[in-house]
Each structure stands twice: as C-alpha cells, then as structure tokens.
Amino acid sequence: MKVTLSLDRSYSEDLSIMVDALRASTTINTALQSFKSVITAESIKKAVELAEINQATLAGERDGAKIEGFDVGNSPREIKNLKGEVLVLTTTNGTRVLERMQSKVLIGSFVNARAVARIALQLADNHIEIVMAGVKGRFVLEDFLGAGEIINHLQDEELDEMAIASLMASNDKEEVDRAVKNSYSARGLRALGLEKDIEFCLKRDIYNTVPIYKEGIIKALK
Ligand code: MLT
C-alpha cells in the first residue's frame, strides 16, 4: 500500500484521510458520538439553509470564533455536551477541503489515529492519501503532526518522503504536545479563550469512530 501526504488539495481517486487537528477533525469525531450525522457546508448562508431543512443543530466558526446566531462554535468540548439527529458544520478550512475531495474520504486526527489507519487499510485498494487541511492553503504544524500520528500506524507500508518526515517529527509525544500548543493556530484559539480545546484535540485515540464523508454528509464507521 502506498501512503502519501499532501496539503490542502487531494489528488487521490482511491482513499484519503482529511486531517484538521485544530479542530474540525476532532469536532466531527466528537459530534458523531452523540449525533447520527454531520452535514458540512462551505458557506455560512448554506449552513443556515441546511440547518433549517434538517432541523439541525448549527455549528461553525470563522477564524476560530463562533459565528453569530449559531448554536455553537467549532468547539469539540462544547459539542460533546449536545446531542441530536443532525449537526450542520461550517469551518474555515476543514469543511472546504472535504468538499473538494474525489476519493473515498475518512476524517482523522490524534483522537482516532489508530482506528482511522486500521479502516483505511481495509478500504483502500492501493493508495492511502493523507491530506493536511492547513490554514487557507498554508502548511500548519498541528496537521503535519496529527498526520504523523496516523502514519505511525501505517509504518509498514510504502511511505512517500513527506509521510516519512511527518512520522519522524511525531515520534516524541511530549515534543508534539509542546509544538502544537505553541503553534500559530493554538495561539489564535488561546486568544479566543479556547485553550481547553487545544488539550482536548491532543488526546490520543479516545475514539474508535471513523467518520466517512460522502457528498456533504459524514457518518460514523466502526
Ligand atoms: C477549520 O476547519 O478551519 C478549523 O477547524 C478552525 C478552528 O475552528 O479551529
């Protein structure tokens, strides 16, 4: 099995894993513990429309902050306390990247790295592509290190050099935690009073859930 790592864009027609460690991947995994599905929307307007049609809880952020009038932000800790049938989610990067993917699409991060790697090996034909969501097209450290955590469970496969680099970088858990906490995204979340979300997103393998995305709808595979 070939394992490659890319940023912002997906090239695979086989299987991709979208990684947005702070926070969309973590939020989606968390939401699927108490919602039957998550519907993604690229724009705020579309999210509001979809929430009305589906009588859904409306969640989302722009530049990290909760969107005015929405039920909740993109905070996994806040979403953890909610439940219902459908959660509609719009985020700055994660949901936008998902909507441009062509392959089978799973969603992973620190919180479900082991489970998502296991299911990816079952579902892919010959290529697992890990896609770092980044921030507005830019590389960010937390997605690179979150990808490395997943690749740690795929080490016996044929890794490309980006994948090898992220595996090497994510070797030391304490270093990873320190780097993510000092990252540009973490500093932004901290400035918004969302420090505890950073800790939450760094929890390892707390979920066995594997979110699978298809045509705007995310459901849990086990
Ligand atoms: C995103 O998808 O842009 C992120 O998850 C941003 C965030 O809410 O921290």
Side-chain angles (χ1 to χ4, degrees):
M1 182 77 67
K2 194 165 71 174
V3 177
T4 63
L5 180 59
S6 52
L7 169 64
D8 186 54
R9 287 195 180 278
S10 168
Y11 301 94
S12 174
E13 290 180 0
D14 189 349
L15 182 131
S16 311
I17 304 174
M18 192 284 290
V19 180
D20 183 348
L22 292 176
R23 298 166 290 173
S25 289
T26 314
T27 298
I28 291 164
N29 269 283
T30 304
L32 288 174
Q33 310 306 309
S34 54
F35 286 85
K36 292 207 174 105
S37 64
V38 175
I39 298 181
T40 60
E42 193 160 347
S43 69
I44 295 175
K45 187 163 169 276
K46 188 80 191 159
V48 172
E49 276 170 26
L50 286 170
E52 262 171 35
I53 294 167
N54 293 282
Q55 301 194 325
T57 303
L58 186 53
E61 57 70 36
R62 283 297 174 270
D63 295 322
K66 175 174 172 278
I67 299 163
E68 210 184 308
F70 276 39
D71 299 315
V72 66
N74 180 30
S75 167
R77 281 178 319 109
E78 289 171 23
I79 286 170
K80 198 166 180 264
N81 300 323
L82 304 176
K83 61 178 177 191
E85 289 285 315
V86 180
L87 182 92
V88 171
L89 178 68
T90 181
T91 73
T92 316
N93 304 287
T95 55
R96 181 179 51 81
V97 171
L98 279 175
E99 288 180 11
R100 292 187 312 207
M101 287 175 154
Q102 308 297 325
S103 53
K104 292 184 228 89
V105 180
L106 307 180
I107 296 161
S109 188
F110 295 100
V111 290
N112 72 335
R114 183 187 302 276
V116 79
R118 184 172 53 82
I119 297 287
L121 283 168
Q122 288 169 16
L123 295 185
D125 292 325
N126 51 35
H127 179 196
I128 298 172
E129 172 192 54
I130 303 184
V131 182
M132 300 176 281
V135 171
K136 298 179 182 166
R138 276 193 356 253
F139 174 94
V140 295
L141 199 49
E142 68 274 13
D143 294 346
F144 184 64
L145 296 171
E149 188 84 15
I150 297 168
I151 293 163
N152 184 36
H153 301 289
L154 300 168
Q155 335 199 355
D156 296 337
E157 310 303 322
E158 186 198 326
L159 308 183
D160 79 349
E161 293 193 7
M162 279 270 278
I164 293 171
S166 77
L167 176 64
M168 290 169 74
S170 63
N171 188 34
D172 180 330
K173 181 178 176 301
E174 280 176 24
E175 283 282 341
V176 168
D177 284 7
R178 197 171 311 123
V180 171
K181 286 177 188 170
N182 285 321
S183 67
Y184 171 84
S185 307
R187 281 184 270 132
L189 290 171
R190 203 170 289 121
L192 292 165
L194 295 163
E195 167 94 43
K196 288 196 176 142
D197 274 356
I198 307 164
E199 298 274 350
F200 190 91
C201 292
L202 277 166
K203 288 180 190 281
R204 307 312 201 263
D205 294 311
I206 53 170
Y207 300 132
N208 280 322
T209 318
V210 177
I212 183 158
Y213 170 91
K214 198 169 177 204
E215 292 163 6
I217 303 179
I218 305 170
K219 295 198 166 156
L221 284 174
K222 291 269 175 175

